[in-house]
Amino acid sequence: MEFENVKPPEWGEIIEMKDGKLHIPEKPIVLYIEGDGIGPDIFRGMKRVIDAAVEKAYRGERKIAWTKIYAGEEAKEKFGEWLPDETVKAIEHYLFAIKGPLTTPVGGGIRSLNVTLRQRLDLYACVRPVRWFKGVPAPVKHPEKLNVVIFRENTEDVYAGIEWEPGHPSIKKLYSILEEDGLMGKIRFPETAGIGIKPISKEGTYRIVSAAIKYAKRHGRKSVTLVHKGNIMKYTEGYFKKWGYEVALKEFRDWVITEDELWDQVKGEDGVTPIKKEGAFAHLRGGRPPGDPGDRIVIKDRIADAMFQQLLLRPDEYDVIATPNLNGDYLSDACAAQVGGLGMAPGANINYETGHALFEATHGTAPKYRNMDKANPGSLILSGAMMLDYLRWMEAKKIMVDALERSISEKKVTYDLARQIDGATQLKTSEFATRIIENMEE
Ligand code: NAD
């Protein structure tokens, strides 16, 4: 495919999805959007760090063919558009991209790059790993106990974008259906109510929960928790829970054990209350006592509000989390805050069937630090680590993450961390990247 403004290096090779499998060449083409504000500063830092880790791990046998694409202010200046169609087509073609933060243009008619790409490429999994790095100041006593990977469903729920402002003519049409079904009484103030729709489907649930279980298996994670509000929203979030267990047992029976099975419990006549049935599932545990899953992944569920308490009170009981869109949005930020803030939180939007993946810093453009070589590149570096993980370049990922951790624990950090850590040395973005590279071990 020919692109006008997308020019991969001659030696770059294309990543392909064939027969449901990603084929990663030794010199994969990875697209990048530098981003606005602090974007170029942190991008430069991230690129140097990744290239150094890959070089250390594979001695030139593997190398990323970085290829620039345009979005945001730079695209607006150069091509008169915030998000040129060619940028979207390039990601469609080359599969992998990593991006710095982008200014959200003020004014109507322009949708965010993320939303557009999420929809065009059906990037249904928003993956957010959250862990603590030694030395990062955190608001809880034991931030090290939280180490979760959140799989937030990215295409459904109240984020589907079906909502009407108060008084919109479509609301009247909707009311006529509600009237017919005798449900109008449920809307307390119909004249002034805005209305939104919350779709949650079986296919949508199956694919996000499957992705979470496969991730847990590949990374030796111990449990997958379905987080829902099914006690109130029975036919959306309640079905998320039902379908979540269903797909776990249908497609991954040999890998998983439910929490009930783990404790030899069956549901009583009411279908809710658990009843103990000694030894009923001992065969799934390979004869181990109740509570010992062996190497099976425990599938459990928690109601969303209880989950917020649980993550504060018993964080080490949770591991991979699969959840609908809105819960996932709240949970990822709460978890990130618990381990010391959003500045270090990475993210990826992925479609595991087509292979499309967009890795990103989760913070904004911090415009007041633009071109000051000051911002923390941590979030983008950790997004890069997620990319190495997705490329299955685990050696390079480990070298990079260990070096980042070492740099933070020696208190040589950017301003945002330095101002919170006693005795810290404040480094520029570029110096911090250099320090991480110096801290890399074979
Ligand atoms: P912001 O994340 O840019 O800033 C919030 C605070 O965190 C500021 O004090 C900022 O200086 C600080 N900060 C952010 N990243 C930092 C880093 N890497 N190192 C050190 N300090 C950092 O959020 P905002 O001010 O609400 O948004 C600014 C712009 O970014 C807006 O145009 C917004 O729409 C956009 N935005 C983009 C994304 C994205 O592209 N994913 C996400 C959020 C906001």
Side-chain angles (χ1 to χ4, degrees):
M1 190 175 278
E2 281 299 308
F3 292 100
E4 212 173 306
N5 299 297
V6 185
K7 305 262 176 255
E10 296 264 310
W11 48 268
E13 301 162 292
I14 189 165
I15 300 171
E16 284 180 294
M17 190 67 153
K18 277 193 235 149
D19 310 321
K21 272 202 151 155
L22 270 181
H23 290 255
I24 312 282
E26 304 291 349
K27 311 272 160 71
I29 293 169
V30 171
L31 307 176
Y32 68 88
I33 295 165
E34 282 184 9
D36 302 324
I38 56 172
D41 278 350
I42 60 173
F43 176 78
R44 270 190 296 276
M46 180 275 289
K47 180 172 173 298
R48 279 176 52 221
V49 168
I50 291 203
D51 283 345
V54 170
E55 172 61 29
K56 263 233 145 57
Y58 311 116
R59 299 274 164 217
E61 262 171 47
R62 291 178 179 174
K63 193 173 162 71
I64 290 175
W66 299 101
T67 303
K68 182 170 171 122
I69 51 174
Y70 296 87
E73 289 169 13
E74 196 181 5
K76 179 78 179 150
E77 254 165 52
K78 249 180 133 88
F79 310 112
E81 287 177 274
W82 292 96
L83 178 61
D85 196 46
E86 194 179 68
T87 293
V88 183
K89 290 215 167 93
I91 303 177
E92 256 169 354
H93 183 65
Y94 289 107
L95 300 188
F96 277 42
I98 184 162
K99 68 176 262 293
L102 292 167
T103 308
T104 308
V106 185
I110 304 158
R111 297 171 59 213
S112 86
L113 169 78
N114 271 348
V115 175
T116 307
L117 284 172
R118 211 173 282 166
Q119 291 183 344
R120 282 270 293 264
L121 305 174
D122 196 22
L123 303 173
Y124 65 83
C126 175
V127 187
R128 300 273 296 267
V130 186
R131 55 160 288 198
W132 180 68
F133 284 90
K134 197 169 167 226
V136 174
V140 296
K141 280 191 195 141
H142 290 288
E144 75 286 354
K145 288 189 177 176
L146 185 77
N147 184 345
V148 294
V149 182
I150 300 168
F151 278 72
R152 165 185 170 194
E153 203 291 325
N154 223 359
T155 62
E156 304 200 290
D157 202 349
V158 285
Y159 286 71
I162 314 169
E163 54 169 11
W164 298 278
E165 61 185 330
H168 192 283
S170 296
I171 292 187
K172 292 255 150 53
K173 285 196 241 167
L174 202 67
Y175 282 173
S176 66
I177 298 172
L178 296 181
E179 200 99 50
E180 242 174 69
D181 292 354
L183 293 170
M184 259 325 274
K186 298 209 177 216
I187 300 186
R188 184 67 189 81
F189 298 110
E191 286 306 313
T192 61
I195 303 265
I197 286 192
K198 178 182 176 84
I200 289 189
S201 69
K202 180 171 169 175
E203 291 86 342
T205 304
Y206 264 44
R207 64 183 185 173
I208 191 74
V209 175
S210 297
I213 294 173
K214 286 182 192 162
Y215 180 97
K217 177 77 176 168
R218 188 160 81 76
H219 290 85
R221 295 280 188 153
K222 299 206 170 334
S223 66
V224 173
T225 305
L226 310 169
V227 178
H228 60 89
K229 193 72 189 151
N231 54 333
I232 305 295
M233 292 170 273
K234 294 187 171 49
Y235 306 122
T236 49
E237 304 247 341
Y239 268 67
F240 182 88
K241 167 184 158 186
K242 172 177 138 60
W243 286 323
Y245 279 113
E246 196 174 281
V247 72
L249 294 178
K250 238 187 212 169
E251 290 181 22
F252 307 100
R253 179 67 273 194
D254 293 345
W255 298 357
V256 303
I257 185 165
T258 67
E259 200 172 33
D260 278 347
E261 292 167 347
L262 181 67
W263 296 102
D264 276 340
Q265 289 175 341
V266 292
K267 293 278 184 269
E269 274 178 20
D270 60 3
V272 181
T273 317
I275 297 172
K276 188 97 181 160
K277 211 173 157 196
E278 214 73 53
F281 300 105
H283 61 288
L284 293 176
R285 301 187 302 265
R288 291 180 197 81
D292 182 352
D295 56 7
R296 282 186 187 246
I297 300 160
V298 180
I299 308 291
K300 46 190 172 181
D301 75 279
R302 296 289 181 270
I303 291 178
D305 43 73
M307 187 65 175
F308 279 91
Q309 300 179 15
Q310 291 275 301
L311 285 169
L312 280 167
L313 301 173
R314 315 163 82 132
D316 44 0
E317 289 181 14
Y318 297 93
D319 203 330
V320 174
I321 293 168
T323 187
N325 214 332
L326 181 61
N327 300 336
D329 194 359
Y330 296 157
L331 270 175
S332 353
D333 278 16
C335 287
Q338 190 167 328
V339 295
L342 289 163
M344 298 279 293
N349 298 290
I350 300 177
N351 182 316
Y352 289 93
E353 281 69 49
T354 62
H356 287 109
L358 178 65
F359 303 88
E360 61 176 349
T362 55
H363 54 72
T365 58
K368 69 179 169 194
Y369 299 120
R370 146 186 243 130
N371 292 332
M372 287 170 68
D373 196 15
K374 194 166 174 177
N376 185 351
S379 171
L380 198 58
I381 288 176
L382 290 170
S383 302
M386 291 182 79
M387 186 177 81
L388 293 176
D389 186 292
Y390 197 50
L391 286 167
R392 307 286 194 269
W393 292 6
M394 306 313 269
E395 302 80 7
K397 176 190 172 189
K398 182 163 175 17
I399 289 173
M400 188 165 109
V401 175
D402 287 354
L404 172 69
E405 191 156 25
R406 223 166 279 139
S407 310
I408 295 172
S409 61
E410 36 172 65
K411 304 185 180 183
K412 291 186 172 161
V413 288
T414 46
Y415 86 94
D416 52 313
L417 294 176
R419 66 183 172 191
Q420 303 177 64
I421 303 174
D422 282 341
T425 310
Q426 182 176 324
L427 300 182
K428 294 178 174 179
T429 312
S430 53
E431 292 168 340
F432 184 53
T434 302
R435 190 64 205 143
I436 296 170
I437 294 167
E438 287 165 356
N439 270 326
M440 286 179 184
E441 286 176 356
E442 303 284 311

